[in-house]
Amino acid sequence: MKTFIPDLAYIDPKILKTQKGIEVRDKLESLGVPLIESRSVKIDEGTIQQKYIQSKKVIYVTANNQKKLQQCQPSADYMFHLSSSCPAHCEYCYLQTTQGEKPFLKLFVNVEDIIHVLEDYMKLKAPDITSFECGSITDPIALEHLTGNLKEVIEFFGKSDLGRLRVISKYDNVDSFLDIKHNDHTKFRFSINARYVISSFEHGTANFDERIIAASKIADAGYPLGFIIAPIMVFEGWKEQYDFLLQQLSYKLRNYKKEISFELIQHRYTQTAKDLILERFPNTKLDMTDENRQLKWGPYGKFKYVYPKDTSGEMKDHIIGSINKYFNNAHIEYFT
Ligand code: SF4
């Protein structure tokens, strides 16, 4: 897919004292992106919907000075961030409710400092391995062409005896990772879905075929590999489409002999998310008919609307059935 080019970039003056900051500025300049040196980002005009759309095209190049990492179970021990927000517009994205009215993108370019923090956390758990997730508040591949951050971090983990990295993405910009000596220390997980879900709700991401090709490149490069099928939805022809997805994946990955993990998550929404989605995507085709759902108490102190038991049971049986039909090296981590 075409890589993302922001409409406007703000640059924190302090990162222009670093080599990496200068490189990223030069890269943006060469792409013709207007640059503003500033300690803050200004997006004030327009309706809520306009501010949202505008924000997703604005980046702020700065440093990540976080010394204390949050836990990230069950995916990994801790999460860390090379960027925040992302240029895509997935209508159901759970980050919508946490990133405020103006989810502009932040790119952190002090990778050496970030790696030092990771090393500190590894020492705490040594000689045991510490695992880290870098896709909790961003898509770590979406902005890679502007920074090369993830490549540096994968190289670091490739040499580390004590750390493991987990990456999750809906993007296909993976070529720069294929020659890295990763030593199986980085696991790529692609978020994948039925063609209807990707084309209807995941605007600005790699499409169905591009994502499968990216996954097969990563598989050929020998990385540990997994898929998150989420959010799983019921729509006309859903059974055939999810079956087709798994059949296509298995065909493209037929030479990959390592285990492939699957995480399966059905679509759910909270009332807050629904209100925000309807505000930002007034013509959404997302089915958020409360009467078709059942309420479930969520871990963050809010009710969420999930599919009724019969439907989610059917979903689980069908998708796990297709995985087992097409893969003999699948490991299903969970269905929720
Ligand atoms: S790619 Fe991921 S982070 Fe970006 S909008 Fe879609 S779901 Fe959200």
Side-chain angles (χ1 to χ4, degrees), residues 195-209:
R195 202 185 281 278
Y196 166 79
V197 175
I198 293 178
S199 60
S200 305
F201 307 115
E202 300 185 350
H203 318 293
T205 61
N207 68 29
F208 181 92
D209 299 304

Side-chain angles (χ1 to χ4, degrees), residues 33-226:
V33 179
L35 305 174
I36 297 175
E37 267 187 55
S38 172
R39 290 190 190 286
S40 60
V41 171
K42 207 168 170 320
I43 300 166
D44 287 333
E45 283 164 27
T47 62
I48 288 179
Q49 195 189 18
Q50 286 164 336
K51 278 190 233 168
Y52 165 73
I53 292 169
Q54 203 189 336
S55 299
K56 287 277 196 163
K57 294 178 186 160
V58 172
I59 63 169
Y60 183 40
V61 186
T62 184
N64 175 356
N65 296 317
Q66 190 184 16
K67 296 272 184 288
K68 203 169 175 318
L69 300 183
Q70 264 178 280
Q71 295 194 336
C72 190
Q73 269 90 20
S75 154
D77 293 316
Y78 299 100
M79 60 173 94
F80 72 98
H81 314 305
L82 299 168
S83 54
S84 76
S85 190
C86 95
H89 297 261
C90 299
E91 295 186 14
Y92 57 76
C93 177
Y94 72 97
L95 295 178
Q96 300 217 47
T97 50
T98 58
Q99 291 188 324
E101 243 187 25
K102 293 175 268 185
F104 61 86
L105 288 58
K106 284 188 192 161
L107 266 72
F108 304 122
V109 294
N110 57 331
V111 177
E112 279 182 24
D113 300 335
I114 294 171
I115 285 176
H116 284 145
V117 175
L118 303 182
E119 286 174 324
D120 288 344
Y121 273 83
M122 287 178 205
K123 281 180 205 150
L124 289 176
K125 214 177 154 197
D128 292 342
I129 301 276
T130 311
S131 57
F132 299 89
E133 167 71 64
C134 72
S136 303
I137 60 164
T138 188
D139 188 301
I141 298 183
L143 304 166
E144 180 65 6
H145 57 295
L146 300 176
T147 64
N149 277 355
L150 187 56
K151 181 176 183 196
E152 278 182 55
V153 171
I154 295 173
E155 282 167 348
F156 160 74
F157 276 96
K159 293 181 203 138
S160 168
D161 293 329
L162 293 173
R164 298 292 180 271
L165 175 66
R166 285 165 72 86
V167 176
I168 167 83
S169 184
K170 287 185 168 71
Y171 280 77
D172 68 341
N173 177 26
V174 298
D175 289 357
S176 62
F177 311 133
L178 303 182
D179 294 329
I180 299 176
K181 284 204 174 86
H182 56 78
N183 279 326
D184 288 354
H185 292 180
T186 292
K187 177 170 182 174
F188 274 88
R189 287 130 74 229
F190 286 89
S191 170
I192 190 89
N193 217 311
R195 202 185 281 278
Y196 166 79
V197 175
I198 293 178
S199 60
S200 305
F201 307 115
E202 300 185 350
H203 318 293
T205 61
N207 68 29
F208 181 92
D209 299 304
E210 289 167 336
R211 258 184 252 178
I212 294 178
I213 290 169
S216 69
K217 287 182 182 176
I218 287 293
D220 290 345
Y223 282 94
L225 183 64

